[in-house]
Amino acid sequence: MTVSTQVVVIGGGYAGVMAANRLTQRENVAVTLINPRPTFVERIRLHQVVGGSDDALVAYRDVLGEGARLVVDTVARIDAAERSVTLATGDTVGYDYLIYAVGSGSADPRVPGAAEFAYPIADLEEAQRLRSVVDAVPATAAVTVVGAGPTGIETAAELAEEGRSVTLVCGGVLGPYLHPRGRRSVAGRLAELGVTVLEGPDAKVTAVTRDAVRLSGGRELPSRVTIWATGFGVPDLARRSGLSTDAMGRLLTDETLTSVDDVRIVAAGDSAAPSDLPFRMSCQAAGPLGAKAADTVLSRIAGEQPAPIDLGLAGQCLSLGRRAGIFQLAHKDDTARGIHLGGRPGAKLKEFICRLTVKQLAAEARKPGSNTWAWAKDDKRQQVLRAG
Ligand SMILES: Cc1cc2nc3c(=O)[nH]c(=O)nc-3n(C[C@H](O)[C@H](O)[C@H](O)COP(=O)(O)OP(=O)(O)OC[C@H]3O[C@@H](n4cnc5c(N)ncnc54)[C@H](O)[C@@H]3O)c2cc1C
């Protein structure tokens, strides 16, 4: 068999692994996946790393198809003109097509003292470090979680269930994505776990010190461990490599996920901004986007016009400790509906979804091209695009 097309995938997360596996369905395509760690990280379990109930690690041999070659390294630069990437170790790898799937990490905390004294939790090493910090303080020590999006809520619940004394500082409302009914359900569970939830305009953190956080309303809360969970930022690799990005640094693409600068570069997952209307950063979007990125590349190799992305999200699923959870259902345009599943069934569903994401990768490894996403339709996106 002659290999005629080299495809390099940067980033071995949900999007990159899905893309790499799917690409192996064509025998004359050589797939190289470049990732800094030798092990797949289930980022959606990182709050469990902090709580001590999971290590969030899965061997690549369990999720990555044999047809894809894993290179453990970091891409330092993309040279689109030369069609090559330079690795941190100095090597270069050439490509015919490139899939950009570098994901996300912690956003730069702009609040004074946060970078020095608060602990982020957006990647594996951050979560592991935080676990050691939590382990080293007495059980009664005040823990403050800053940010009440999914990561903040899940982390606060996990630690409170362990018996920690947790304050969740929302900076605005608890769970901004949630429907008011879903929010009430989450607030109820956090209250049962003993989490103090501070909401409203006075509950914005304005400064962090070694042992306290200061709030916009003037209050100062003692805090032995401050956890920073105010949202994600993306790696600046695309921007540094001279490619067009949105304001946050996500690679700008069209609806086929193809870079607006270069038909050979396709993006997926948290680091992609299709039509400057990015999907919510989520594992839920990353898998289908990874598959779509691979389909786009395979279409181009076959000399066909790739189809536009057609993806709607189902909702948001949060664990609230190990014994409760919530599945907040959404409309196809990713706004919350008045329906949710809470309590123990919510926890079970969340665990099922966590396992499903890994199973989907493994299924794609075994049978490339097999995954489909039945709910994938978002008519409102099409209307917005047509109007723009
Ligand atoms: C605690 C927590 C809980 C979450 N829970 C949920 C949830 O319940 N549901 C949900 O949908 N989402 C959840 N998310 C969000 C979800 O984890 C991300 O949206 C998802 O991981 C994005 O997938 P991705 O493949 O785009 O990126 P990632 O999973 O971040 O993978 C990107 C990969 O690229 C690698 N990489 C980065 N730069 C380079 C480089 N220069 N060279 C080579 N490789 C590079 C990274 O090391 C990483 O391995 C959660 C996130 C956190 C932190």
Side-chain angles (χ1 to χ4, degrees), residues 11 13-15 35-37 43-44 75 102-103 269-270 282-284 286 350:
Y14 299 96
N35 191 69
R37 298 180 200 87
R43 271 186 75 203
I44 65 173
V75 174
V102 295
D270 285 1
S282 60
C283 155
Q284 190 183 157
K350 171 77 186 198

Side-chain angles (χ1 to χ4, degrees), residues 10-16 34-37 43-44 46-47 73-75 101-104 121-122 151 154 232 235 237 268-270 281-284 286 317 350:
I10 314 179
Y14 299 96
I34 305 172
N35 191 69
R37 298 180 200 87
R43 271 186 75 203
I44 65 173
L46 287 184
H47 55 292
D73 211 323
T74 300
V75 174
V102 295
S104 61
I121 182 217
T151 308
E154 290 189 314
F232 298 149
L237 176 62
D270 285 1
M281 285 186 180
S282 60
C283 155
Q284 190 183 157
C317 199
K350 171 77 186 198

Side-chain angles (χ1 to χ4, degrees), residues 325-347:
I326 179 170
F327 185 59
Q328 166 68 70
L329 272 84
H331 299 283
K332 291 282 167 55
D333 65 354
D334 201 25
T335 55
R337 299 166 66 180
I339 312 170
H340 67 267
L341 178 74
R344 200 170 274 275

Side-chain angles (χ1 to χ4, degrees), residues 48-99:
Q48 290 185 246
V49 173
V50 179
S53 63
D54 204 286
D55 64 5
L57 296 174
V58 175
Y60 271 117
R61 68 173 170 278
D62 294 337
V63 288
L64 185 64
E66 282 176 6
R69 180 173 72 107
L70 175 68
V71 172
V72 179
D73 211 323
T74 300
V75 174
R77 195 178 158 77
I78 301 164
D79 189 336
E82 290 294 321
R83 282 196 218 148
S84 71
V85 296
T86 306
L87 307 183
T89 45
D91 289 349
T92 57
V93 182
Y95 64 80
D96 296 302
Y97 289 93
L98 183 72
I99 294 188

Side-chain angles (χ1 to χ4, degrees), residues 11 15-16 26 45 74 81 92 94-95 103 132 159 167-168 170 193 209 228 248 285 299-300 310 330 365 368 375 378:
R26 283 281 296 266
R45 290 195 191 271
T74 300
T92 57
Y95 64 80
S132 315
L159 290 172
T167 301
L168 178 60
C170 299
L193 291 169
T209 60
W228 205 255
M248 199 185 212
S299 295
R300 290 245 158 72
D310 189 2
W375 71 84
D378 175 3

Side-chain angles (χ1 to χ4, degrees), residues 263-281:
V263 79
R264 301 271 175 169
I265 301 178
V266 177
D270 285 1
S271 55
S275 305
D276 213 357
L277 276 177
F279 294 89
R280 174 160 50 96
M281 285 186 180

